[in-house]
DNA sequence: TGTACATCAGTGAACGCGCGTTCACTGATGTAC
DNA sequence: TGTACATCAGTGAACGCGCGTTCACTGATGTAC
């Protein structure tokens, strides 16, 4: 049986993650502050450290959820186009990625903020979440290029993801670029269809 | 005539930028600290604020130099391949960008660190530097697609830059991706040649 | 050339902020007998 | 069921750090006459 203590522990942990998620969705990683979280959760600051090693761990947990939401968002978009060709599936995914980033800018940013700053290792489940996401891309890619060796698929997957990521990044960095959203979509579609065309000719 | 005071002022300003540049090249924006800079420059902390509004201004100044170095690096690479086709020129530029980022990771990172964090407007000359860089890409692009309207060239330029930027970003983010450098180069060449092929068919 | 005054570079100790994290203490829950 | 003891969640004031920036003061340089 799970003791009452254990239950309260887990309830607090979950509550803090919930609150942290709300904050990160609203304003990104800067909104994660021990005192404020404790205040909202109705516990003492110290209690947080009873349940997490540090705030970083909490952010990772929220990032895990963000990854899941992102994955779901992409998958739903794909599901909405059941008859799309592999290339079109890739385009749909790219556009879904853009859409998610636009709707969830602070949370999406936090995904990368953390990576950049921390030097310690990323936990197992975090990497798994990440590669599951990349796996979504690998699927249609493989369908499109059945002959391609797995190592190339692996590489290509990451390359495509990065390209789209770069374009999205640009799109949300208003100050310098000022590229309207519709144009961004065109750009994503353009790049992906072009790359899907006949890669083996290279 | 320029007074002695004015001269000293400018000398200090330059000296601080020089020292700041060394620091940013070595370790990025985190290495810019008022006390340490003052110590190295042989002046008081307060003197810095006599010559800059704040440290941000100093970083911008260093970023200006980094932009210039980057532009030079890319141009030299292009100059080394005088007979390259427009598409090949674009590939050469992409690879030069990767190379620069690899050789100058902290300084290159600082270019983007600053943008992200500050809310205030980017100064005129900074934007000019940026668009001059983008102009390098626009050249061969226009050559490759003489029919394309300027607005599309503008868009395409930014799209290409972003894609390559995304891939480079991925390449330097070792932890998650682990894509070897040679593969990155292949990926850049692949994307650019594919995009250059026959865009008007889309 | 010399004197009086004004300006502003130069100084560095001190201010202020924002936080993450710790730690000695307390009190509720769980366990042993 | 009851009692004594142990454990560990929960507390929040205080520690510690790292900095950017300011500010009252001083002294060198420049200007006016």
């Amino acid at each position: 049986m799970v003791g009452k203590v254990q239950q309260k522990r887990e309830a607090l942990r979950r509550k803090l993650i919930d609150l942290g998620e709300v904050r990160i969705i609203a304003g990104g990683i800067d909104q994660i502050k021990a005192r404020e979280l404790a205040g909202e959760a109705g516990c003492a600051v110290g209690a947080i450290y009873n349940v997490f090693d540090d705030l970083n761990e909490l952010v990772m947990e929220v990032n895990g959820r963000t990854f899941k939401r992102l994955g779901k968002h992409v998958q739903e978009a794909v599901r909405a186009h059941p008859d799309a060709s592999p290339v079109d599936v890739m385009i749909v995914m790219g556009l879904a990625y853009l859409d998610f980033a636009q709707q969830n800018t602070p949370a999406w940013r936090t995904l990368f903020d953390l990576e950049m700053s921390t030097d310690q290792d990323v936990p197992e489940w975090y990497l798994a979440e990440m590669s599951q996401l990349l796996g979504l891309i690998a699927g249609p890619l493989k369908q499109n290029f059945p002959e391609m060796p797995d190592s190339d698929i692996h590489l290509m997957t990451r390359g495509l993801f990065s390209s789209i990521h770069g374009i999205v990044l640009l799109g949300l960095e208003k100050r310098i670029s000022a590229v309207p959203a519709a144009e961004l979509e065109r750009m994503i579609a353009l790049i992906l269809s072009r790359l899907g065309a006949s890669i083996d000719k290279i």
Side-chain angles (χ1 to χ4, degrees), chain A:
Chain A
M1 132 204 174
V2 183
K4 216 178 191 177
V5 174
Q6 186 74 357
Q7 272 183 6
K8 276 184 79 179
R9 236 183 104 83
E10 267 154 31
L12 177 61
R13 192 178 155 99
R14 177 190 222 94
K15 190 177 202 171
L16 286 168
I17 298 172
D18 287 346
L19 290 166
E21 189 178 19
V22 170
R23 289 183 153 263
I24 281 179
I25 286 173
I29 201 171
D30 291 347
Q31 295 309 309
I32 297 301
K33 304 183 193 182
R35 269 162 272 259
E36 294 188 11
L37 279 171
E40 288 179 9
C43 70
V45 220
I48 295 174
Y49 294 86
N50 227 324
V51 154
F52 294 103
D53 283 348
D54 52 30
L55 288 182
N56 214 27
E57 196 188 334
L58 190 156
V59 175
M60 293 290 278
E61 214 70 42
V62 173
N63 277 354
R65 291 187 181 186
T66 306
F67 268 128
K68 283 214 177 65
R69 287 196 298 130
L70 170 56
K72 204 175 273 177
H73 191 79
V74 171
Q75 278 180 311
E76 268 163 22
V78 172
R79 226 177 284 130
H81 302 267
D83 301 326
S85 67
V87 173
D88 285 342
V89 169
M90 280 160 36
I91 293 176
V92 165
M93 294 195 306
L95 297 180
Y97 186 71
L98 171 62
D99 187 58
F100 184 87
Q102 281 172 333
Q103 308 292 328
N104 297 273
T105 308
W108 172 76
R109 277 241 152 87
T110 304
L111 249 28
F112 302 96
D113 278 352
L114 201 60
E115 274 167 41
M116 299 241 177
S117 57
T118 51
D119 276 336
Q120 54 184 316
D121 287 333
V122 182
E124 202 54 48
W125 64 263
Y126 197 85
L127 290 174
E129 209 75 63
M130 183 82 189
S131 48
Q132 203 229 343
L133 195 62
L134 290 173
L136 291 181
I137 305 173
L141 202 58
K142 202 157 186 169
Q143 237 181 304
N144 200 43
F145 304 113
E147 310 288 296
M148 194 181 268
D150 275 3
S151 60
D152 280 22
I153 293 276
H154 179 94
L155 181 64
M156 189 83 189
T157 300
R158 280 155 180 75
L160 286 186
F161 174 80
S162 311
S163 301
I164 303 309
H165 177 73
I167 292 176
V168 171
L169 206 55
L170 164 95
L172 300 187
E173 183 66 44
K174 307 277 195 304
R175 206 153 3 144
I176 280 192
S177 57
V179 175
E183 299 294 312
L184 277 179
E185 293 179 9
R186 221 178 97 210
M187 183 61 60
I188 289 174
L190 184 71
I191 288 191
L192 288 175
S193 55
R194 211 116 273 293
L195 284 169
S198 60
I199 228 142
D200 36 17
K201 291 238 185 78
I202 294 291

